[in-house]
Amino acid sequence: MRSKLKSLALVAACAGATLAASQCTSPHSGEHAADAAPLAIDTVWTPRSRPADIAAWAQRRCRGREECLEQALVSVIDPAGVDKAMAALKILAERDPGVAREGHVYAHGIGIAAYRSPETVGVQFGKCTTDFQSGCYHGVIQGYFADTRGGDAGVSKARLDGLCAPYRSPDKRWLQFQCAHGIGHGLMAVESHDLLRSLDSCDLLADDFEKQSCWGGAFMENVVNATAPHHMAVTRVADVGEAGEHAGHDRSGMEGHDMSAMSHDSAAKGGHDAHGAQPAAGGHEGHEMAGMDHHAMGHDGGETFKALDDNDPLYPCDVVKEHHRHACYLMQTSAILFRNNGDFRDAAAKCKLAPADMQQTCFVSLGRDANSWGRGSQERAVQYCLQAPPEGQPFCVVGIVKNVVDVTADYRDGLNFCKLVPDNSKPACYHAVGQQIAILDDTREGRERACATAAHGYVAECRRGANLPLVPTD
């Protein structure tokens, strides 16, 4: 998605129709000036407004223009509510494949715009919806970190640990993940997209679950900023002040995020060995590794972190700290597929170049991307996985099914998907759904009921994944 505005402050002013159209044009060229013209808000919306009416109005006024559409959606947040803006976006996505393709980006922008103040960040976060890979949740956290007003500003252990505190209970595990994953995105903006500094900031989090979720958000942001660096990021100057630019999500299959990156292994054959090491103490020691140049000169003459390396398909996973590698490899195939134009066979071959203990994790990443590149067709996603070598296919299927559940937060979607996969991958698939069930439901009774609905012959795999004891009938 090509957004034409370079900073949150400029976009905000344009969205609020406080600048002349000439001030809202692209810093790159003037050919898209019409897209950035302020939107005339000629309709009064209220909390009782119908999302269908909002969608029809936005569609009629904007006629597919991206900047106009993002302004329209943001304009209804205050009078109608975040939920109405998200519902309208969902309707627009059903009508327009282009909007559907960029749904996570629009949702992320709505979340940024919904942010109001540090005191109300939890309230606004709670008003988001799970649609479009929960981009709204991530955007609210992004807005929080972009807020440069006085007080306890910047990155601190206390500030980080306080953000997700309302969701730190077993029954809110999924929201806790969304919060911490959003922190990873936000830290990248705060740290000028220096991945290594952002990961060290994630390490300040006291909760291991949140720490690992944060790493995943930072790695995702690293990839998407490098491949689609002009993100739609709409918010209000009065609320956020001098906010930094945020990167968007490229349309080539990188919008999925993996909740499994936090604390669950992705073993395909019923194993329970964790792929990620525990974080080391501290977290702000020097970044440089011998013989490695991680930085390049920016346009302003300063050093910027080199996000990706065209000559090294495994970078930055081969230079990050040991305890960050697992989260990195869970995202790495997005960068590989961006470079090779979606060649899954080649991406699978690149996974084989990873260290032996990271190859399975890389195949899980490939599965997550397969689900995105499948564009709603799970059968097509499975075909992508079949381009991997036989030993990688079950892990690739794990990546698909975990992303399927991540997107909807409904284990039943995962169980239905497992019916589609080849027999050699079914045990891995049901085991992975069990792992997701364990995240979504902290009660033994709930996990028992969920796994009991697995297909005949695979209940045991689901129970193993959900950390349930096997019973004689298994």
Side-chain angles (χ1 to χ4, degrees), residues 8 108 111-112 115-119 121 125 137-150 152-164 178-192 197-198 201-205 210 214 217-218 221 235 239-246:
L8 287 169
H108 207 140
I112 294 173
Y115 173 77
R116 292 294 175 265
S117 70
E119 294 76 22
V121 61
F125 184 86
Y137 291 116
H138 307 160
V140 171
I141 302 302
Q142 165 82 28
Y144 173 78
F145 277 109
D147 192 339
T148 59
R149 289 172 294 178
D152 185 20
V155 177
S156 68
K157 181 175 177 59
R159 200 171 191 226
L160 285 168
D161 280 334
L163 257 176
C164 302
Q178 301 300 341
C179 178
H181 182 87
I183 288 176
H185 281 274
L187 284 172
M188 284 288 284
V190 171
E191 302 287 6
S192 301
R197 285 206 307 264
S198 300
S201 293
C202 285
D203 285 348
L204 294 174
L205 286 159
E210 293 171 12
C214 183
E221 187 66 28
T235 192
D239 290 327
V240 178
E242 297 178 4
E245 179 186 3
H246 173 67

Side-chain angles (χ1 to χ4, degrees), residues 333 336-337 340-353 363 366 383-390 393 396:
T333 54
I336 295 171
L337 289 164
N340 69 14
N341 295 314
D343 186 335
F344 274 76
R345 194 175 303 279
D346 174 72
K350 296 295 194 299
C351 282
K352 293 291 289 183
L353 300 176
F363 285 125
L366 190 70
Q383 289 302 311
Y384 283 133
C385 280
L386 293 180
Q387 296 183 42
Q393 291 173 15
C396 185

Side-chain angles (χ1 to χ4, degrees), residues 77 81-87 89 103-115 121 123-144 174-175 178-179 181-182 231-232 249 257:
I77 291 175
V82 176
D83 56 336
K84 295 298 175 65
M86 287 297 298
L89 172 60
H104 184 82
V105 181
Y106 282 111
H108 207 140
I110 289 172
I112 294 173
Y115 173 77
V121 61
V123 174
Q124 293 302 101
F125 184 86
K127 292 179 179 178
C128 287
T129 71
T130 62
D131 295 313
F132 305 104
Q133 294 81 38
S134 301
C136 180
Y137 291 116
H138 307 160
V140 171
I141 302 302
Q142 165 82 28
Y144 173 78
W174 193 81
L175 284 174
Q178 301 300 341
C179 178
H181 182 87
H231 173 51
M232 171 197 77
H249 293 252
H257 56 272

